[in-house]
Amino acid sequence: MCKEDILRKLTIKCFHIKEVEFGNKSNINDGKLILNKDSFKELSNEEDVIDEIKIHIIKPRDHDRYVNSIMDFIPISTKVLGKIGQGITHTLTGVYVMLTGADTDGKQMAEFGSSEGILNDKVSFGKSGTPSKDDYIIHCDVTLKSGLEFNRNLSLTIHRLCDNFIQDIRNILKSKDGRNADEKHEYYDRLRHGKKKVLIVKQIAGQGMMYDNQLFPNEPSGFTGGRSIIDLGNAPVIISPNEYRDGAIRAMT
Amino acid sequence: MGIGPSTKETTLHHFRDPLLDVVSDDKDIDLVGIAVLGTPQDNKEKYFVGGRVAQWAEALRADGVIISVDGWGNSHVDYANTIKEIGERNIPVVGLSFIGTQANFVVDNRYMDTIVDFNKSEEGIETEIVGENNVNNIDSRKALAFLKLKMNRE
């Protein structure tokens, strides 16, 4: 037995969602997530580059439908105690956010190949980075006004608006009693004395529009409050295992 | 060239990263951390950030490094250089990359002898299917097994 030192603990409590629907007031109760059907309408008016933001609830296996190019799949997680990498995080399972984007002319928010098409054909379901076929998908479809020059700022705007939308759900998830969680996972950052020391290096995008990543947002897997790897000069940033698995990286590729 | 729909790692992928799980769960490994570095546009910058991450590995007294990349083509210029910088510091290094039939390395060097190709498509190409050509548990275990071999050879 080698000697181990525990550096810090992260507890992720999962609340499983079995049903998602629109209602008058956002809420999470008994495995049911209700989205306020009016709240996101204001999102569309927040930025003048946006023509419309539509939120669709995609039921499990209801994937025979056209979607614009997929910008991201995002878990819905929130800090309840402590900062990213330690303390307590609440997360939803059974439901993930899918962000898509295009302009009114159908020009896709993508640079190096795009994934618009029938959802069933455009996603390899059940991977680490994608929902399973049995999950609900909250589809945040952003339509930009016609004729805009696609640039980094536009991409950041879309991610910010989507994050604002998710924050409403996070605020409800934050207030859930952790004792009612469906699953609880404990993770430790540790020193394993005398064992081979290994560093993982992840080379991520940092070239510009659609090639960006946000580090250390305020909320797990969020956007707001984070720092872009581009703005950090693409120089290496060391992240602890627990920070990493607590959503320290928001992909914007 | 850069990151296509099938190779990009989504935010959900980072949240449930299989490489992190495999390495952190291995009781014979002391995982010192994850160094995240960007992929700049300019060649001078590519060499700068690659050198910095290799110096981090040395400063951490790492016995080994696993480096993964979710882009290809131009991103492989950075990737090859970073592996060389790490290798020249006598630190065993194993890579993970999408290669398939489409993304053969535009540059390579003698330290790139253990690269796990995480292509999953039959044709070996960027299929534009999200999640298809991503690192999974088996790729991660292969990479760690290669690294253990290399570290034990030192």
Side-chain angles (χ1 to χ4, degrees):
Chain A
M1 262 314 266
C2 78
K3 191 176 168 298
E4 264 192 21
D5 278 335
I6 303 286
L7 302 172
R8 60 190 75 81
K9 179 168 107 169
L10 166 70
T11 305
I12 299 183
K13 296 182 178 179
C14 307
F15 292 81
H16 191 66
I17 296 297
K18 295 186 280 269
E19 205 180 344
V20 184
E21 61 180 45
F22 288 117
N24 294 322
K25 192 171 175 289
S26 296
N27 194 18
I28 299 168
N29 210 356
D30 273 343
K32 193 180 204 179
L33 168 64
I34 296 171
L35 301 175
N36 178 347
K37 60 184 187 324
D38 295 321
S39 70
F40 53 85
K41 286 186 180 147
E42 297 157 18
L43 283 176
S44 308
N45 305 325
E46 276 182 33
E47 299 281 343
D48 60 5
V49 293
I50 304 293
D51 181 69
E52 193 178 24
I53 298 177
K54 278 191 187 148
I55 305 290
H56 305 282
I57 295 169
I58 302 179
K59 290 183 177 167
R61 298 184 180 271
D62 182 19
H63 300 148
D64 186 19
R65 52 169 68 224
Y66 177 85
V67 296
N68 283 321
S69 192
I70 297 163
M71 296 172 70
D72 204 6
F73 283 109
I74 308 153
I76 302 169
S77 308
T78 191
K79 279 320 287 187
V80 176
L81 183 71
K83 48 187 181 179
I84 283 191
Q86 50 189 293
I88 300 173
T89 294
H90 285 179
T91 193
L92 294 182
T93 52
V95 61
Y96 299 95
V97 173
M98 175 174 74
L99 176 62
T100 63
D103 72 6
T104 52
D105 304 323
K107 185 180 165 195
Q108 300 295 318
M109 199 67 198
E111 205 161 309
F112 182 51
S114 57
S115 54
E116 76 277 13
I118 302 299
L119 185 57
N120 220 2
D121 304 333
K122 289 295 173 183
V123 175
S124 178
F125 287 93
K127 300 293 178 69
S128 297
T130 60
S132 87
K133 289 203 168 194
D134 294 318
D135 289 326
Y136 270 86
I137 296 171
I138 299 173
H139 178 196
C140 179
D141 184 33
V142 179
T143 307
L144 300 161
K145 286 182 177 160
S146 170
L148 294 168
E149 186 203 342
F150 279 15
N151 56 27
R152 189 180 163 209
N153 205 28
L154 209 52
S155 168
L156 295 177
T157 300
I158 294 173
H159 281 281
R160 187 172 59 245
L161 290 176
C162 179
D163 194 50
N164 291 349
F165 165 70
I166 296 173
Q167 192 60 41
D168 283 345
I169 310 173
R170 290 193 192 110
N171 290 342
I172 298 163
L173 180 59
K174 217 183 268 294
S175 65
K176 298 303 288 179
D177 187 336
R179 285 171 294 187
N180 296 330
D182 296 287
E183 282 176 47
K184 188 172 118 176
H185 300 277
E186 290 177 344
Y187 300 99
Y188 298 92
D189 279 339
R190 51 182 116 219
L191 295 174
R192 289 194 175 111
H193 297 281
K195 299 298 179 181
K196 294 279 189 194
K197 289 202 279 287
V198 170
L199 174 70
I200 294 177
V201 175
K202 296 206 59 157
Q203 184 188 323
I204 60 176
Q207 296 97 321
M209 176 208 148
M210 299 308 295
Y211 295 120
D212 198 358
N213 281 272
Q214 192 88 333
L215 304 185
F216 291 97
N218 294 341
E219 293 275 20
S221 307
F223 172 88
T224 306
R227 291 152 185 80
S228 155
I229 191 82
I230 298 175
D231 299 335
L232 293 169
N234 285 309
V237 174
I238 306 279
I239 301 180
S240 88
N242 270 357
E243 288 171 334
Y244 200 100
R245 56 167 62 94
D246 201 19
I249 301 185
R250 166 64 172 262
M252 300 191 292
T253 46
Chain B
M1 284 181 283
I3 299 175
S6 78
T7 62
K8 74 173 180 181
E9 293 185 349
T10 65
T11 301
L12 184 58
H13 184 98
H14 289 296
F15 186 62
R16 310 195 286 203
D17 196 281
L19 177 60
L20 171 59
D21 285 344
V22 164
V23 180
S24 66
D25 286 351
D26 192 313
K27 293 195 166 50
D28 291 327
I29 298 296
D30 183 23
L31 174 61
V32 295
I34 301 100
V36 169
L37 84 157
T39 309
Q41 191 74 267
D42 183 72
N43 272 358
K44 193 170 161 235
E45 294 299 309
K46 288 178 188 301
Y47 298 140
F48 171 72
V49 299
R52 287 309 87 206
V53 81
Q55 200 53 46
W56 259 120
E58 185 182 292
L60 292 164
R61 302 292 184 258
D63 296 303
V65 173
I66 297 178
I67 177 167
S68 86
V69 57
D70 67 349
W72 50 280
N74 185 273
S75 307
H76 279 159
V77 174
D78 312 54
Y79 188 65
N81 173 66
T82 303
I83 290 173
K84 181 164 163 269
E85 291 273 359
I86 296 166
E88 284 176 345
R89 285 167 175 78
N90 292 318
I91 301 170
V93 54
V94 168
L96 284 151
S97 174
F98 167 74
I99 301 170
T101 57
Q102 191 174 29
N104 284 314
F105 291 119
V106 289
V107 282
D108 64 8
N109 55 64
R110 69 187 184 92
Y111 302 103
M112 295 170 76
D113 53 346
T114 43
I115 307 286
V116 176
D117 177 6
F118 56 75
N119 162 63
K120 306 285 182 298
S121 71
E122 252 175 58
E123 309 89 336
I125 57 165
E126 167 53 69
T127 53
E128 301 189 342
I129 296 170
V130 179
E132 183 164 45
N133 291 320
N134 280 163
V135 172
N136 64 16
N137 179 279
I138 293 171
D139 302 323
S140 307
R141 280 160 47 199
K142 270 189 212 166
L144 184 57
F146 275 134
L147 185 66
K148 282 183 175 178
L149 283 173
K150 270 192 158 179
M151 289 191 299
N152 289 336
R153 220 189 285 155
E154 290 295 305

